[in-house]
Amino acid sequence: YGRFCFVLRRCLDGFGADRVLFGCDGPVWTLWYTRKWWVGLIRGLPERGTEKASFTTEEVDAMLFKNAERILD
């Protein structure tokens, strides 16, 4: 979990929260965890981030749906 948060934080810092989208390369990842589980993990990042990698609600909303809405609109 700590490594996941670290890498995601680096992506957001490097590319910008407005350029990162949640996506799935399934079906490989869904063998272990469902898409619902992944969305829950990301949705909970503002409350459960790590000391070295914290996230805002705005960043999470952007990754999960706002960026896709903007791009696909």
Side-chain angles (χ1 to χ4, degrees):
Y1 181 78
R3 183 76 176 152
F4 170 77
C5 289
F6 174 78
V7 170
L8 183 56
R9 179 77 260 161
R10 296 275 312 253
C11 288
L12 291 173
D13 291 343
F15 300 116
D18 62 325
R19 297 182 74 192
V20 177
L21 298 170
F22 170 76
C24 176
D25 283 353
V28 173
W29 290 108
T30 57
L31 292 175
W32 295 286
Y33 302 106
T34 65
R35 287 180 189 94
K36 184 176 181 178
W37 183 90
W38 280 108
V39 170
L41 175 79
I42 294 169
R43 173 84 44 217
L45 287 173
E47 295 84 28
R48 295 189 302 261
T50 65
E51 278 184 37
K52 296 180 181 181
S54 60
F55 302 89
T56 67
T57 301
E58 292 78 19
E59 289 172 326
V60 167
D61 288 346
M63 285 187 290
L64 288 178
F65 66 91
K66 288 189 177 182
N67 291 338
E69 277 181 342
R70 188 185 76 247
I71 292 167
L72 298 173
D73 190 18

Coordinates of all heavy atoms in Angstrom, one line a residue:
Y1 N 0.8 -1.2 0.0 CA 0.0 0.0 0.0 C 0.9 1.3 0.0 O 0.6 2.2 -0.7 CB -1.0 0.0 1.2 CG -1.9 1.2 1.3 CD1 -3.0 1.3 0.4 CD2 -1.6 2.2 2.1 CE1 -3.8 2.4 0.5 CE2 -2.4 3.3 2.2 CZ -3.5 3.4 1.3 OH -4.3 4.5 1.4
G2 N 1.9 1.3 0.8 CA 2.8 2.4 0.9 C 3.5 2.7 -0.5 O 3.6 3.8 -0.9
R3 N 3.9 1.6 -1.2 CA 4.5 1.8 -2.5 C 3.5 2.3 -3.5 O 3.8 3.1 -4.3 CB 5.1 0.5 -2.9 CG 5.9 0.5 -4.2 CD 7.2 1.2 -4.0 NE 7.9 1.1 -5.3 CZ 8.8 2.0 -5.6 NH1 9.1 3.0 -4.8 NH2 9.4 1.9 -6.8
F4 N 2.3 1.7 -3.5 CA 1.2 2.2 -4.4 C 1.0 3.7 -4.2 O 1.0 4.5 -5.2 CB 0.0 1.4 -4.1 CG -1.2 2.0 -4.8 CD1 -1.4 1.8 -6.2 CD2 -2.2 2.7 -4.1 CE1 -2.6 2.3 -6.8 CE2 -3.3 3.3 -4.8 CZ -3.5 3.0 -6.1
C5 N 0.9 4.1 -2.9 CA 0.7 5.6 -2.7 C 1.8 6.4 -3.1 O 1.6 7.5 -3.7 CB 0.4 5.8 -1.2 SG -1.2 5.1 -0.6
F6 N 3.0 5.9 -2.9 CA 4.2 6.7 -3.3 C 4.3 6.9 -4.8 O 4.5 8.0 -5.3 CB 5.5 5.9 -2.8 CG 6.8 6.5 -3.3 CD1 7.3 7.7 -2.8 CD2 7.4 5.9 -4.4 CE1 8.5 8.2 -3.2 CE2 8.6 6.5 -4.9 CZ 9.1 7.6 -4.3
V7 N 4.0 5.8 -5.6 CA 4.1 5.8 -7.0 C 2.9 6.7 -7.6 O 3.2 7.6 -8.5 CB 4.0 4.4 -7.7 CG1 3.8 4.5 -9.2 CG2 5.3 3.7 -7.3
L8 N 1.7 6.6 -7.0 CA 0.6 7.4 -7.5 C 0.9 8.9 -7.2 O 0.6 9.7 -8.0 CB -0.7 7.0 -6.8 CG -1.9 7.7 -7.2 CD1 -2.1 7.6 -8.7 CD2 -3.1 7.1 -6.5
R9 N 1.5 9.2 -6.0 CA 1.8 10.6 -5.7 C 2.8 11.2 -6.7 O 2.7 12.3 -7.1 CB 2.3 10.6 -4.2 CG 2.7 12.0 -3.7 CD 1.5 12.8 -3.4 NE 1.1 13.7 -4.4 CZ 0.0 14.3 -4.6 NH1 -1.0 14.1 -3.7 NH2 -0.3 15.1 -5.6
R10 N 3.8 10.3 -7.0 CA 4.8 10.8 -8.0 C 4.2 11.1 -9.4 O 4.5 12.0 -10.0 CB 5.9 9.7 -8.2 CG 6.8 9.5 -7.0 CD 7.9 10.4 -6.8 NE 8.7 10.6 -8.0 CZ 9.9 10.2 -8.2 NH1 10.5 9.4 -7.3 NH2 10.6 10.5 -9.3
C11 N 3.2 10.2 -9.8 CA 2.5 10.5 -11.0 C 1.7 11.8 -11.0 O 1.8 12.6 -11.9 CB 1.6 9.3 -11.3 SG 2.4 7.8 -11.8
L12 N 1.0 12.0 -9.9 CA 0.2 13.2 -9.8 C 1.1 14.4 -9.8 O 0.8 15.4 -10.4 CB -0.7 13.2 -8.5 CG -1.8 12.2 -8.5 CD1 -2.5 12.1 -7.2 CD2 -2.8 12.5 -9.6
D13 N 2.2 14.4 -9.1 CA 3.1 15.5 -9.0 C 3.8 15.7 -10.3 O 4.1 16.9 -10.7 CB 4.2 15.3 -7.9 CG 3.6 15.3 -6.5 OD1 2.4 15.9 -6.3 OD2 4.2 14.9 -5.6
G14 N 4.2 14.6 -11.0 CA 4.9 14.8 -12.3 C 4.1 15.2 -13.4 O 4.5 16.0 -14.3
F15 N 2.8 14.6 -13.5 CA 2.0 14.9 -14.7 C 0.9 15.9 -14.4 O 0.4 16.5 -15.4 CB 1.3 13.6 -15.2 CG 2.3 12.5 -15.6 CD1 2.4 11.3 -14.9 CD2 3.2 12.7 -16.7 CE1 3.3 10.3 -15.3 CE2 4.1 11.8 -17.1 CZ 4.1 10.6 -16.4
G16 N 0.5 16.0 -13.2 CA -0.6 16.9 -12.8 C -1.9 16.1 -12.6 O -2.1 15.2 -13.4
A17 N -2.6 16.4 -11.6 CA -3.8 15.7 -11.2 C -4.9 15.8 -12.4 O -5.7 14.9 -12.5 CB -4.4 16.2 -9.9
D18 N -4.8 16.8 -13.2 CA -5.7 16.9 -14.3 C -5.4 16.0 -15.5 O -6.1 16.0 -16.5 CB -5.8 18.4 -14.7 CG -4.5 18.9 -15.3 OD1 -3.4 18.5 -14.8 OD2 -4.5 19.7 -16.2
R19 N -4.3 15.3 -15.4 CA -3.9 14.4 -16.5 C -3.8 12.9 -16.1 O -3.2 12.1 -16.9 CB -2.5 14.9 -17.0 CG -2.6 16.3 -17.6 CD -1.3 16.8 -18.1 NE -1.1 16.1 -19.4 CZ 0.1 16.1 -20.0 NH1 1.1 16.7 -19.5 NH2 0.2 15.5 -21.2
V20 N -4.3 12.6 -15.0 CA -4.2 11.2 -14.5 C -5.7 10.6 -14.4 O -6.5 11.3 -13.8 CB -3.6 11.1 -13.1 CG1 -3.6 9.6 -12.6 CG2 -2.1 11.6 -13.2
L21 N -5.9 9.5 -15.0 CA -7.2 8.8 -15.0 C -7.1 7.4 -14.4 O -6.1 6.7 -14.6 CB -7.7 8.6 -16.5 CG -8.0 9.9 -17.3 CD1 -8.2 9.4 -18.7 CD2 -9.1 10.6 -16.8
F22 N -8.2 7.1 -13.7 CA -8.3 5.7 -13.2 C -8.6 4.8 -14.4 O -9.5 5.2 -15.2 CB -9.4 5.6 -12.2 CG -9.7 4.1 -11.8 CD1 -8.8 3.4 -11.0 CD2 -10.8 3.5 -12.3 CE1 -9.1 2.1 -10.7 CE2 -11.1 2.2 -12.0 CZ -10.2 1.5 -11.2
G23 N -7.9 3.7 -14.6 CA -8.2 2.8 -15.6 C -7.9 1.4 -15.2 O -7.2 1.2 -14.2
C24 N -8.3 0.4 -16.0 CA -8.0 -1.0 -15.7 C -7.5 -1.7 -16.9 O -8.1 -1.5 -18.0 CB -9.3 -1.6 -15.1 SG -9.1 -3.4 -14.8
D25 N -6.5 -2.5 -16.8 CA -6.0 -3.3 -17.9 C -6.5 -4.7 -17.7 O -5.9 -5.6 -18.2 CB -4.4 -3.3 -17.8 CG -3.8 -2.1 -18.3 OD1 -4.5 -1.2 -18.9 OD2 -2.6 -1.9 -18.2
G26 N -7.6 -4.9 -17.1 CA -8.2 -6.2 -16.9 C -8.0 -7.1 -18.1 O -7.8 -6.6 -19.2
P27 N -8.2 -8.3 -17.9 CA -8.7 -9.0 -16.7 C -7.6 -9.4 -15.7 O -8.0 -10.0 -14.7 CB -9.4 -10.2 -17.3 CG -8.5 -10.6 -18.5 CD -8.0 -9.3 -19.0
V28 N -6.4 -9.2 -16.0 CA -5.3 -9.6 -15.1 C -5.5 -9.1 -13.6 O -5.5 -9.9 -12.7 CB -3.9 -9.3 -15.6 CG1 -2.9 -9.6 -14.6 CG2 -3.7 -10.0 -16.9
W29 N -5.7 -7.8 -13.5 CA -5.8 -7.3 -12.1 C -7.1 -7.7 -11.5 O -7.2 -7.8 -10.2 CB -5.7 -5.7 -12.2 CG -4.3 -5.3 -12.5 CD1 -3.9 -4.7 -13.7 CD2 -3.2 -5.4 -11.7 NE1 -2.6 -4.5 -13.6 CE2 -2.1 -4.9 -12.4 CE3 -2.9 -5.9 -10.4 CZ2 -0.8 -4.9 -11.9 CZ3 -1.6 -5.9 -9.9 CH2 -0.6 -5.4 -10.7
T30 N -8.2 -8.0 -12.2 CA -9.4 -8.4 -11.6 C -9.4 -9.8 -11.1 O -10.4 -10.3 -10.5 CB -10.6 -8.1 -12.6 OG1 -10.4 -8.8 -13.8 CG2 -10.8 -6.6 -12.8
L31 N -8.3 -10.6 -11.4 CA -8.2 -11.9 -10.9 C -8.1 -11.9 -9.4 O -8.5 -12.7 -8.6 CB -7.1 -12.6 -11.5 CG -7.2 -13.0 -13.0 CD1 -5.9 -13.6 -13.5 CD2 -8.3 -14.0 -13.2
W32 N -7.4 -10.8 -8.9 CA -7.1 -10.7 -7.4 C -8.0 -9.7 -6.7 O -8.5 -9.9 -5.6 CB -5.7 -10.3 -7.2 CG -4.7 -11.3 -7.7 CD1 -4.5 -12.5 -7.0 CD2 -3.9 -11.3 -8.8 NE1 -3.6 -13.3 -7.8 CE2 -3.2 -12.5 -8.9 CE3 -3.8 -10.4 -9.9 CZ2 -2.3 -12.8 -9.9 CZ3 -2.9 -10.7 -10.9 CH2 -2.2 -11.9 -10.9
Y33 N -8.3 -8.6 -7.4 CA -9.1 -7.5 -6.8 C -10.2 -7.1 -7.9 O -9.8 -6.9 -9.0 CB -8.3 -6.3 -6.4 CG -7.2 -6.7 -5.4 CD1 -5.9 -6.8 -5.8 CD2 -7.5 -7.0 -4.1 CE1 -4.9 -7.1 -4.9 CE2 -6.6 -7.3 -3.2 CZ -5.3 -7.4 -3.6 OH -4.3 -7.7 -2.7
T34 N -11.4 -6.8 -7.4 CA -12.4 -6.3 -8.3 C -12.2 -4.8 -8.6 O -11.5 -4.1 -7.9 CB -13.8 -6.5 -7.7 OG1 -13.9 -5.7 -6.6 CG2 -14.1 -8.0 -7.4
R35 N -12.8 -4.4 -9.7 CA -12.8 -2.9 -10.0 C -13.4 -2.1 -8.9 O -12.9 -1.1 -8.5 CB -13.5 -2.6 -11.3 CG -12.7 -3.1 -12.5 CD -13.5 -2.8 -13.8 NE -12.8 -3.5 -14.9 CZ -13.1 -4.6 -15.4 NH1 -14.1 -5.3 -14.9 NH2 -12.5 -5.2 -16.4
K36 N -14.4 -2.7 -8.2 CA -15.1 -2.0 -7.1 C -14.1 -1.8 -6.0 O -14.0 -0.8 -5.3 CB -16.3 -2.8 -6.6 CG -17.1 -2.1 -5.5 CD -18.3 -2.9 -5.2 CE -19.1 -2.3 -4.1 NZ -20.3 -3.0 -3.8
W37 N -13.2 -2.9 -5.7 CA -12.2 -2.8 -4.7 C -11.2 -1.7 -5.0 O -10.8 -0.9 -4.1 CB -11.5 -4.1 -4.6 CG -10.5 -4.2 -3.5 CD1 -10.7 -4.5 -2.2 CD2 -9.1 -3.8 -3.6 NE1 -9.5 -4.4 -1.5 CE2 -8.5 -4.0 -2.3 CE3 -8.3 -3.4 -4.6 CZ2 -7.2 -3.7 -2.0 CZ3 -7.0 -3.1 -4.4 CH2 -6.4 -3.3 -3.1
W38 N -10.7 -1.6 -6.3 CA -9.8 -0.6 -6.7 C -10.4 0.8 -6.5 O -9.7 1.7 -6.0 CB -9.4 -0.8 -8.1 CG -8.3 -1.8 -8.3 CD1 -8.5 -3.1 -8.8 CD2 -6.9 -1.8 -7.9 NE1 -7.3 -3.8 -8.8 CE2 -6.3 -3.0 -8.2 CE3 -6.2 -0.8 -7.3 CZ2 -5.0 -3.2 -8.0 CZ3 -4.8 -1.0 -7.0 CH2 -4.3 -2.3 -7.4
V39 N -11.6 1.0 -6.9 CA -12.2 2.3 -6.8 C -12.3 2.7 -5.3 O -12.1 3.8 -4.9 CB -13.6 2.4 -7.5 CG1 -14.4 3.6 -7.1 CG2 -13.5 2.2 -9.0
G40 N -12.7 1.7 -4.5 CA -12.7 2.0 -3.0 C -11.4 2.3 -2.4 O -11.3 3.2 -1.6
L41 N -10.4 1.7 -2.9 CA -9.0 2.0 -2.5 C -8.6 3.4 -2.8 O -8.2 4.2 -2.0 CB -8.0 1.0 -3.1 CG -6.5 1.3 -2.8 CD1 -6.2 0.8 -1.4 CD2 -5.6 0.7 -3.9
I42 N -8.9 3.8 -4.0 CA -8.6 5.1 -4.5 C -9.5 6.2 -3.8 O -9.0 7.2 -3.4 CB -8.7 5.2 -6.0 CG1 -7.6 4.4 -6.6 CG2 -8.5 6.7 -6.5 CD1 -7.7 4.1 -8.1
R43 N -10.8 5.9 -3.7 CA -11.7 6.8 -3.0 C -11.2 7.1 -1.6 O -11.4 8.2 -1.1 CB -13.1 6.2 -3.0 CG -14.1 6.9 -2.3 CD -14.8 8.1 -2.9 NE -15.3 7.9 -4.3 CZ -15.2 8.9 -5.1 NH1 -14.8 10.1 -4.8 NH2 -15.7 8.7 -6.4
G44 N -10.7 6.1 -0.9 CA -10.2 6.3 0.5 C -8.9 6.9 0.7 O -8.4 7.1 1.8
L45 N -8.2 7.3 -0.4 CA -6.8 7.8 -0.2 C -6.8 9.1 0.6 O -5.8 9.3 1.4 CB -6.2 8.1 -1.6 CG -5.8 6.8 -2.4 CD1 -5.4 7.2 -3.8 CD2 -4.7 6.1 -1.6
P46 N -7.7 10.0 0.5 CA -7.6 11.2 1.4 C -7.6 10.9 2.9 O -6.9 11.6 3.6 CB -8.8 12.1 1.0 CG -9.2 11.7 -0.4 CD -8.8 10.2 -0.4
E47 N -8.3 9.9 3.3 CA -8.3 9.5 4.7 C -7.2 8.6 5.1 O -6.7 8.6 6.2 CB -9.6 8.9 5.1 CG -10.8 9.7 4.9 CD -11.4 9.8 3.5 OE1 -11.2 8.8 2.8 OE2 -11.9 10.8 3.2
R48 N -6.7 7.8 4.1 CA -5.8 6.7 4.5 C -4.4 6.8 3.7 O -3.7 5.8 3.6 CB -6.4 5.3 4.1 CG -7.6 5.0 5.0 CD -8.1 3.6 4.8 NE -8.4 3.3 3.4 CZ -9.6 3.3 2.9 NH1 -10.6 3.6 3.7 NH2 -9.8 2.9 1.7
G49 N -4.1 8.0 3.2 CA -2.8 8.1 2.6 C -1.7 7.9 3.6 O -1.9 7.6 4.8
T50 N -0.4 8.0 3.2 CA 0.7 7.8 4.1 C 1.3 9.1 4.4 O 1.0 10.1 3.9 CB 1.7 6.8 3.4 OG1 2.3 7.5 2.2 CG2 1.1 5.5 3.0
E51 N 2.3 9.0 5.3 CA 3.0 10.3 5.7 C 3.7 10.9 4.5 O 3.7 12.1 4.4 CB 4.1 9.9 6.7 CG 3.6 9.8 8.1 CD 4.7 9.6 9.1 OE1 5.8 10.2 8.9 OE2 4.5 8.9 10.1
K52 N 4.3 10.1 3.6 CA 5.0 10.6 2.5 C 4.1 10.8 1.2 O 4.6 11.4 0.3 CB 6.1 9.6 2.1 CG 7.2 9.5 3.2 CD 8.3 8.6 2.8 CE 9.3 8.4 3.9 NZ 10.4 7.5 3.6
A53 N 2.9 10.4 1.3 CA 2.0 10.5 0.1 C 0.6 10.7 0.6 O -0.1 9.8 0.9 CB 2.1 9.2 -0.7
S54 N 0.2 12.0 0.6 CA -1.2 12.3 1.0 C -1.9 12.8 -0.3 O -1.3 13.2 -1.3 CB -1.2 13.4 2.0 OG -0.6 14.6 1.5
F55 N -3.2 12.7 -0.3 CA -4.0 13.0 -1.4 C -5.2 13.8 -1.0 O -5.8 13.6 0.1 CB -4.5 11.7 -2.1 CG -3.4 10.8 -2.5 CD1 -2.9 9.8 -1.6 CD2 -2.9 10.9 -3.8 CE1 -1.8 9.0 -2.0 CE2 -1.8 10.1 -4.1 CZ -1.3 9.1 -3.3
T56 N -5.7 14.7 -1.9 CA -6.9 15.5 -1.6 C -8.1 14.8 -2.2 O -8.0 14.1 -3.2 CB -6.7 16.9 -2.1 OG1 -6.7 16.9 -3.6 CG2 -5.5 17.6 -1.6
T57 N -9.3 15.2 -1.7 CA -10.5 14.8 -2.3 C -10.6 15.2 -3.8 O -11.1 14.5 -4.6 CB -11.7 15.3 -1.5 OG1 -11.6 14.8 -0.2 CG2 -13.0 14.8 -2.1
E58 N -10.2 16.4 -4.1 CA -10.2 16.9 -5.4 C -9.4 16.1 -6.4 O -9.8 15.8 -7.5 CB -9.7 18.4 -5.4 CG -10.7 19.4 -4.8 CD -10.6 19.4 -3.2 OE1 -9.5 18.9 -2.7 OE2 -11.5 19.8 -2.6
E59 N -8.2 15.7 -5.9 CA -7.3 14.8 -6.8 C -8.0 13.5 -7.1 O -8.0 13.0 -8.2 CB -6.0 14.6 -6.1 CG -5.1 15.8 -6.1 CD -3.9 15.6 -5.2 OE1 -3.9 14.9 -4.2 OE2 -2.8 16.2 -5.6
V60 N -8.6 12.9 -6.0 CA -9.2 11.6 -6.2 C -10.4 11.7 -7.1 O -10.6 10.9 -8.0 CB -9.7 11.1 -4.8 CG1 -10.6 9.9 -4.9 CG2 -8.4 10.7 -4.0
D61 N -11.2 12.8 -6.9 CA -12.4 13.0 -7.8 C -11.9 13.2 -9.3 O -12.6 12.7 -10.2 CB -13.2 14.1 -7.4 CG -14.0 13.9 -6.1 OD1 -14.1 12.7 -5.7 OD2 -14.5 14.8 -5.5
A62 N -10.9 13.9 -9.4 CA -10.3 14.1 -10.8 C -9.9 12.8 -11.4 O -10.3 12.5 -12.6 CB -9.1 15.1 -10.8
M63 N -9.2 12.0 -10.7 CA -8.7 10.7 -11.2 C -9.9 9.7 -11.5 O -9.9 9.0 -12.6 CB -7.8 10.0 -10.2 CG -6.4 10.5 -10.2 SD -5.4 9.5 -9.1 CE -6.1 9.8 -7.5
L64 N -10.9 9.7 -10.7 CA -12.0 8.7 -10.8 C -13.0 9.1 -11.8 O -13.6 8.2 -12.5 CB -12.6 8.5 -9.5 CG -11.8 7.7 -8.4 CD1 -12.6 7.5 -7.1 CD2 -11.5 6.3 -9.0
F65 N -13.3 10.4 -12.0 CA -14.4 10.7 -12.9 C -14.3 12.1 -13.6 O -14.7 12.3 -14.7 CB -15.8 10.5 -12.3 CG -16.1 11.5 -11.2 CD1 -16.8 12.7 -11.4 CD2 -15.8 11.1 -9.9 CE1 -17.1 13.5 -10.4 CE2 -16.1 12.0 -8.8 CZ -16.8 13.2 -9.1
K66 N -13.8 13.1 -12.9 CA -13.9 14.5 -13.4 C -13.0 14.6 -14.7 O -13.4 15.3 -15.6 CB -13.5 15.5 -12.4 CG -14.6 15.7 -11.4 CD -14.4 16.8 -10.5 CE -15.6 17.0 -9.5 NZ -15.4 18.1 -8.6
N67 N -11.8 14.1 -14.7 CA -10.9 14.2 -15.9 C -11.6 13.5 -17.1 O -11.6 14.0 -18.2 CB -9.6 13.6 -15.6 CG -8.8 14.4 -14.6 OD1 -9.1 15.6 -14.4 ND2 -7.8 13.8 -14.0
A68 N -12.2 12.3 -16.8 CA -12.8 11.6 -17.9 C -14.0 12.4 -18.4 O -14.2 12.5 -19.6 CB -13.3 10.2 -17.5
E69 N -14.8 13.0 -17.5 CA -15.9 13.8 -17.9 C -15.5 14.9 -18.8 O -16.1 15.2 -19.9 CB -16.6 14.4 -16.7 CG -17.6 13.5 -16.0 CD -18.3 14.2 -14.9 OE1 -17.8 15.2 -14.4 OE2 -19.3 13.7 -14.4
R70 N -14.4 15.6 -18.4 CA -13.9 16.7 -19.2 C -13.4 16.3 -20.6 O -13.7 16.9 -21.6 CB -12.7 17.4 -18.4 CG -12.2 18.7 -19.0 CD -11.0 19.2 -18.3 NE -9.8 18.5 -18.7 CZ -9.1 17.7 -17.8 NH1 -9.5 17.6 -16.6 NH2 -8.1 17.0 -18.3
I71 N -12.7 15.2 -20.6 CA -12.1 14.7 -21.9 C -13.2 14.2 -22.8 O -13.2 14.4 -24.0 CB -11.1 13.6 -21.6 CG1 -9.9 14.2 -20.9 CG2 -10.7 12.9 -22.9 CD1 -8.9 13.2 -20.4
L72 N -14.2 13.5 -22.3 CA -15.2 12.8 -23.1 C -16.4 13.7 -23.4 O -17.3 13.3 -24.2 CB -15.6 11.5 -22.5 CG -14.5 10.5 -22.3 CD1 -15.0 9.3 -21.5 CD2 -14.0 10.0 -23.6
D73 N -16.5 14.8 -22.8 CA -17.6 15.7 -23.0 C -17.6 16.4 -24.4 O -16.7 16.8 -24.9 CB -17.7 16.7 -21.9 CG -19.0 17.5 -21.9 OD1 -20.0 17.0 -22.5 OD2 -19.0 18.6 -21.3

